[in-house]
Amino acid sequence: MQTYSGTLFNISIDATPFGQEASVIDREEEVEVEAIVRATHHNLNFCLVKWKGNPYISKLQLRPLSDSRYLKDNPDVILKLAKRVDVGNTREQIRYPADPYDRIWSVDEKPGGDLVQPASNTISIYPANSSNVPINVLETAVTHTERLQFLFNDSSDIPYERFLVCLHFLDFDPSIAVGQRVFDIYANGEKIRGSFDIREDGTSNYNLTLGRIRCCLSFNLCAVLPRRSG
């Protein structure tokens, strides 16, 4: 959507508000808002609720999302996208048609580690149906010998306290076995997943972990090698 100087409005689906948009003062600005919602009827009401000035919208897209894990534990909530980053991708944004669900994968403007590219131009996910993330998203990554760190600052006018963090991992190296790539995952200093192993099931080189955290305005996400005793 596109906002204009002096406008201020809320966005809601049915009776549930999930975002407030305001234009910059001295120029026009394009704003993308993305949300995941479970449809309980044959129709949804998408509303722009006027506060100041006249709200504008340039495009509205609806696409089915077959991955139910986002709303697994909270089917009645609306998830508003805070940030989705294609880690290690410093070139261009990826979205539809590369992603059939039109998720917007933003460029990694500040990589949290050293950029790494697969040794081969042919990357495979096995089993083939284990991920619905586009392969050109998973084929870029960052690495570090001790820890990876990512910072997020919420610049929206309405700060949110609860976040769902989705982390996708693909191991490029076919020689890595179970137990050879293990690390802890922290959010704002709190461990949300300990001894995470990308190849923990012994068959797939892809893994996904979900974590729910509470914070306000910003959070710090880290992947850290566990300390070894002795």
Side-chain angles (χ1 to χ4, degrees), residues 15-225:
T16 305
F18 69 92
Q20 183 183 79
E21 303 304 327
S23 70
V24 293
I25 296 175
D26 57 352
R27 65 180 177 86
E28 297 178 359
E29 180 183 22
E30 291 187 356
V31 179
E32 292 175 334
V33 180
E34 180 182 338
I36 297 175
V37 58
R38 184 188 299 274
T40 57
H41 304 285
H42 293 294
N43 62 286
L44 286 173
N45 295 311
F46 179 86
C47 304
L48 304 180
V49 184
K50 177 179 177 179
W51 278 33
K52 178 184 178 183
N54 295 320
Y56 291 84
I57 183 170
S58 57
K59 184 184 294 185
L60 176 63
Q61 295 177 312
L62 297 175
R63 299 193 188 278
L65 179 65
S66 63
D67 192 341
S68 61
R69 288 172 291 189
Y70 291 105
L71 299 176
K72 180 179 179 181
D73 297 326
N74 297 280
D76 298 326
V77 304
I78 295 177
L79 292 180
K80 179 189 176 184
L81 177 66
K83 195 173 187 65
R84 183 186 294 110
V85 178
D86 180 9
V87 175
N89 173 17
T90 58
R91 300 186 300 272
E92 60 183 4
Q93 182 185 85
I94 295 175
R95 58 179 306 177
Y96 185 86
D99 188 331
Y101 306 114
D102 203 11
R103 290 166 294 190
I104 302 170
W105 301 87
S106 300
V107 169
D108 191 355
E109 297 178 350
K110 296 181 179 180
D114 301 321
L115 299 179
V116 58
Q117 293 287 343
S120 171
N121 292 328
T122 303
I123 301 300
S124 299
I125 303 174
Y126 50 86
N129 61 351
S130 59
S131 169
N132 64 16
V133 177
I135 189 63
N136 48 346
V137 169
L138 295 174
E139 69 183 6
T140 57
V142 294
T143 187
H144 195 271
T145 56
E146 295 182 359
R147 63 186 287 152
L148 295 170
Q149 184 168 336
F150 308 93
L151 300 176
F152 169 73
N153 293 305
D154 184 7
S155 59
S156 64
D157 293 319
I158 302 178
Y160 293 88
E161 294 183 349
R162 293 183 296 173
F163 290 83
L164 174 66
V165 181
C166 306
L167 303 175
H168 302 268
F169 300 90
L170 180 69
D171 200 325
F172 298 153
D173 190 345
S175 67
I176 296 296
V178 176
Q180 291 185 309
R181 201 184 300 279
V182 179
F183 46 89
D184 299 327
I185 301 174
Y186 292 83
N188 284 354
E190 178 183 351
K191 185 186 293 186
I192 60 174
R193 184 73 187 270
S195 300
F196 176 76
D197 188 346
I198 297 177
R199 295 180 177 268
E200 61 187 354
D201 68 355
T203 59
S204 179
N205 63 340
Y206 166 81
N207 208 337
L208 162 70
T209 185
L210 303 177
R212 288 175 170 80
I213 63 173
R214 284 184 173 271
C215 63
C216 185
L217 296 180
S218 66
F219 65 80
N220 182 331
L221 184 67
C222 296
V224 184
L225 288 176

